[in-house]
């Protein structure tokens, strides 16, 4: 039972251990610069911007934890947010699990946020936290799709692929992060749900397999994931606009 005499403690886990293969050759994606500052630093600040978040756990590339620690020390948060760095694993799911493993026992609400979504607005972060605090065990920010989606029989790259179906677009949502969870629920999902191969790309998906309810709240266009080179162009443009209009650093 949660102890109602102490404040709810919210922590954010930021998986940042990926290589960023789709972005092309270079440093690990989270360490690449956006407006002169590493993407990871923007992502950490985006979580710390929420007054509710008292701890941020960064999951660094497996052999890069000391480097990430000193990088973050060079960009201090300036608030009271505690920062912990742990080494990541082979898959995103592995990396998230390693981050969850160091959360203090008194953590109630956990956010899991991709380092690759450096520009998520604090209002989106707060809306996710609020929905978890209101009783949803798993909360996902998401947006309606612009493109129609086809299901196919995958073939080798470049080969025509037979279409097997067209889900109704109005029923689909593209999910973002931070995803928010009741900590017990997320730990149980990571401990009990086994996923083959590449692992889960989405923590809420694990909770769904557990059979627990997952809800969607409105996401934000600026919470897009930097995945391919064109996304970097868009991120630089969003950042430049923010710096020009609201003094964002
Ligand atoms: N991630 C991680 N550990 C891994 C793989 C991914 O912590 N072993 C993190 C990434 O650093 C990123 C987030 O999970 O912040 C979302 O993954 P994605 O956008 O796929 O990033 P990468 O795996 O780095 O990119 P790619 O798939 O193009 O290599
Ligand atoms: Mg990946």
């Amino acid at each position: 039972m949660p102890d109602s005499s102490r404040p709810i403690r919210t922590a954010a886990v930021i998986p940042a251990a990926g290589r960023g293969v789709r972005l092309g050759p270079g440093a690990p994606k989270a360490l690449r610069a956006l407006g002169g500052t590493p993407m990871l630093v923007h992502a950490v600040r985006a979580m710390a911007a929420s007054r509710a978040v008292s701890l941020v756990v960064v999951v660094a590339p497996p052999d890069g934890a000391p480097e990430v620690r000193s990088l973050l020390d060079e960009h201090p948060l300036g608030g009271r947010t505690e920062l912990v760095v742990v080494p990541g694993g082979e898959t995103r799911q592995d990396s998230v699990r390693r981050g969850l493993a160091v959360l203090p026992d008194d953590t109630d609400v956990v956010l899991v946020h991709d380092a690759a979504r450096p520009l998520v607005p604090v209002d989106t972060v707060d809306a996710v936290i609020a929905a978890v605090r209101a009783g949803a065990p798993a909360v996902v920010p998401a947006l309606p799709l612009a493109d129609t989606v086809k299901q196919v029989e995958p073939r080798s790259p470049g080969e025509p692929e037979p279409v097997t179906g067209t889900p109704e677009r109005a029923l689909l949502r593209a999910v973002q992060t931070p995803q928010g969870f009741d900590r017990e629920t997320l730990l149980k999902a990571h401990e009990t749900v086994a996923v083959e191969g590449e692992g889960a790309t989405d923590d809420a998906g694990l909770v769904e397999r557990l059979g627990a309810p997952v809800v969607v709240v409105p996401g934000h266009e600026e919470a897009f994931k930097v995945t391919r080179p064109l996304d970097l162009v868009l991120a630089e443009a969003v950042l430049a606009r923010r710096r020009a209009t609201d003094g964002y650093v």
Side-chain angles (χ1 to χ4, degrees):
M1 278 299 283
D3 173 0
S4 57
S5 66
R6 67 170 177 81
I8 292 175
R9 184 157 151 111
T10 300
V13 173
I14 303 186
R19 284 197 296 273
V21 172
R22 288 169 291 178
L23 204 52
K29 181 160 72 177
L31 306 185
R32 298 207 206 182
L34 197 60
T37 306
M39 209 181 302
L40 173 62
V41 172
H42 292 282
V44 169
R45 286 179 181 160
M47 296 300 104
S50 169
R51 292 174 54 99
V53 174
S54 57
L55 167 67
V56 175
V57 177
V58 170
V59 188
D63 54 0
E67 187 195 339
V68 165
R69 180 75 243 186
S70 49
L71 185 78
L72 292 168
D73 288 343
E74 286 166 27
H75 297 86
L77 287 171
R80 290 174 305 107
T81 316
E82 194 190 338
L83 195 57
V84 172
V85 179
V86 297
E90 270 305 301
T91 65
R92 184 184 182 282
Q93 192 183 342
D94 263 355
S95 294
V96 171
R97 187 179 291 134
R98 287 167 196 240
L100 296 177
V102 301
L103 292 178
D105 289 340
D106 66 351
T107 310
D108 309 283
V109 176
V110 183
L111 301 178
V112 181
H113 180 61
D114 294 329
R117 299 181 191 271
L119 299 176
V120 61
V122 67
D123 288 354
T124 306
V125 181
D126 284 336
V128 169
I129 295 170
V132 180
R133 287 184 172 186
V139 178
V140 181
L143 290 176
L145 272 70
D147 294 326
T148 294
V149 172
K150 297 284 183 200
Q151 186 161 1
V152 299
E153 257 172 45
R155 295 283 156 86
S156 326
E159 233 188 278
E161 300 176 311
V163 170
T164 55
T166 306
E168 189 184 337
R169 191 176 64 190
L171 298 180
L172 300 176
R173 298 290 180 267
V175 310
Q176 305 177 324
T177 71
Q179 300 188 349
F181 304 91
D182 158 62
R183 172 170 161 266
E184 298 276 317
T185 306
L186 184 60
L187 286 183
K188 190 166 170 212
H190 269 269
E191 277 160 17
T192 58
V193 179
V195 178
E196 299 301 311
E198 303 248 309
T201 55
D202 169 49
D203 298 279
L206 296 177
V207 174
E208 285 161 50
R209 293 184 201 209
L210 205 61
V214 177
V215 296
V216 161
V217 297
H220 196 285
E221 271 189 304
E222 294 180 5
F224 67 93
K225 185 153 69 85
V226 175
T227 306
R228 300 181 188 86
L230 193 58
D231 300 320
L232 269 182
V233 178
L234 180 61
E236 292 283 0
V238 170
L239 197 56
R241 187 182 64 188
R242 281 191 195 176
R243 284 175 172 169
T245 61
D246 62 11
Y248 181 90
V249 292

